[in-house]
Amino acid sequence: MNKLSEIIKLFYTPYSIFSPVPFFAIIIFLLAYKSDDLLSSPIRSLTAGVIVSLLSSFASNIWNHTNDLEEDLAQGKKNALTQKIISHRSAVIISLLLYILSIISVVYISIGTARQAYIFFLIWALVTWWYSDKILLKRIFGFRLKTHYIGELITYSIAYPAYTLSIWLIYSNLNIEGIVLALAFLCFGISVVLIKDIKDISGDAKAGLRTFGVAFPPSKLFYFSCLFLLLYYIIILNSVAFNIFSRSILLVIIPFFYFIKNTFLHFNKKNWRIEAEDNKQIKSMVATTYASIILLGLGAFI
């Protein structure tokens, strides 16, 4: 059972809004449900979106772990692959099957709903596969997107809006609401990629990676991450001002003000210098961001 538990952890590590709890798929559903009266069979639509979200996030997570095996071993990280609980070949096969299953599911849903969710989903699948891949595409193109900060930026800039639109189209037609959400999560994704590697700077440097954390000082990355997070909030709030979404999603004002007060203004006074005692403010930034996504869904449900 312990071995099985370690294998399952590969599916949902790292934790995110996509898995192990599919917050993203549920929140997109709540927003789509209120925005489009053409939505039919809501329970079946929600189930389809959740299944696609879990299958796809599991696929990309395992694929990432599989291709990072050498780096993880060098850094002493422990997971089912580094501890040889599951073989490298088996992990590759599982990831491939999950990608195929998720693509087939989206194509099937697209045919049934007469909406082209599969186009955006295939874009997401290709870019996330290439992001990690060192088995096939690296040999063809000579590089992995993950090894350089430009590749990271390209991946997140494409993957987040494409994935948002693919899930949206499972529930609803392509409309202004879906496009606004895609833009908001584009900013969210860039904010994430700028700071996600800060904790792994030494490991990435030893592995020869040129990630954002290796190439730029943490203070500058945190500054631009906060700016993109600010854009994320501005897009959502402006969508209410322009009557794109209902006023009920203004619940996001609560985490927005908390972010401004406890994170943005705090670091602005310090000229964005990050010190050990700032850990509380950084955690506050993460907490308010994820709270804003949950409140976005709750506001849509009201």
Side-chain angles (χ1 to χ4, degrees):
M1 289 300 294
N2 287 336
K3 290 183 178 181
L4 179 60
S5 175
E6 289 299 317
I7 293 173
I8 292 174
K9 281 182 182 179
L10 285 177
F11 286 64
Y12 59 79
T13 304
Y15 297 164
S16 68
I17 58 175
F18 309 105
S19 67
V21 180
F23 288 116
F24 187 79
I26 296 170
I27 288 159
I28 297 294
F29 168 80
L30 293 172
L31 289 162
Y33 186 76
K34 282 295 185 74
S35 73
D36 191 354
D37 58 5
L38 296 177
L39 188 70
S40 60
S41 304
I43 299 301
R44 186 167 62 183
S45 296
L46 174 59
T47 302
V50 167
I51 290 173
V52 168
S53 179
L54 290 175
L55 285 175
S56 56
S57 61
F58 291 166
S60 61
N61 284 341
I62 295 176
W63 184 239
N64 189 53
H65 287 301
T66 301
N67 286 274
D68 283 350
L69 179 57
E70 292 180 6
E71 290 86 347
D72 288 347
L73 285 169
Q75 295 175 33
K77 293 183 178 180
K78 292 184 178 181
N79 58 46
L81 276 165
T82 58
Q83 294 176 306
K84 298 183 179 180
I85 295 172
I86 183 174
S87 69
H88 181 269
R89 181 180 180 183
S90 295
V92 169
I93 292 172
I94 291 172
S95 179
L96 179 60
L97 287 175
L98 288 171
Y99 264 108
I100 292 172
L101 280 173
S102 61
I103 290 171
I104 291 174
S105 298
V106 174
V107 170
Y108 177 78
I109 294 166
S110 297
I111 294 171
T113 59
R115 293 192 289 263
Q116 297 176 322
Y118 70 91
I119 294 176
F120 297 102
F121 192 80
L122 286 173
I123 292 171
W124 170 87
L126 175 61
V127 76
T128 55
W129 183 276
W130 190 0
Y131 175 73
S132 299
D133 183 29
K134 64 165 58 172
I135 298 172
L136 177 62
L137 294 181
K138 182 184 179 182
R139 294 179 182 179
I140 296 174
F141 295 102
F143 63 94
R144 297 168 70 198
L145 292 175
K146 186 175 184 177
T147 59
H148 198 281
Y149 63 86
I150 294 177
E152 287 189 298
L153 183 61
I154 290 172
T155 299
Y156 277 68
S157 297
I158 294 174
Y160 264 86
Y163 194 75
T164 302
L165 289 173
S166 66
I167 299 298
W168 178 270
L169 284 167
I170 290 175
Y171 305 135
S172 178
N173 296 319
L174 183 60
N175 50 30
I176 187 63
E177 290 94 333
I179 293 171
V180 166
L181 276 182
L183 289 174
F185 282 107
L186 164 63
C187 295
F188 174 86
I190 295 176
S191 176
V192 169
V193 73
L194 289 173
I195 60 174
K196 75 178 185 66
D197 294 321
I198 289 180
K199 63 181 181 300
D200 294 324
I201 292 176
S202 60
D204 287 347
K206 289 178 182 178
L209 304 182
R210 187 70 173 164
T211 60
F212 276 106
V214 173
F216 301 98
S219 58
K220 190 170 289 293
L221 291 175
F222 194 72
Y223 169 70
F224 282 104
S225 178
C226 285
L227 286 183
F228 276 101
L229 198 53
L230 188 61
L231 283 175
Y232 156 78
Y233 280 112
I234 289 172
I235 290 171
I236 292 173
L237 295 174
N238 275 333
S239 72
V240 177
F242 288 99
N243 295 315
I244 296 172
F245 285 111
S246 66
R247 293 180 180 179
S248 58
I249 71 167
L250 286 176
L251 282 174
V252 299
I253 286 180
I254 299 171
F256 171 63
F257 280 132
Y258 204 86
F259 161 71
I260 292 294
K261 177 179 178 293
N262 290 277
T263 303
F264 197 90
L265 293 179
H266 170 80
F267 284 102
N268 190 55
K269 290 178 181 178
K270 299 178 58 177
N271 292 319
W272 299 94
R273 294 192 309 273
I274 299 177
E275 299 170 318
E277 58 267 23
D278 295 321
N279 189 49
K280 180 180 178 181
Q281 283 72 25
I282 294 173
K283 287 183 177 179
S284 171
M285 171 188 170
V286 175
T288 54
T289 302
Y290 285 100
S292 74
I293 295 172
I294 294 172
L295 289 175
L296 188 63
L298 289 175
F301 184 71
I302 296 174

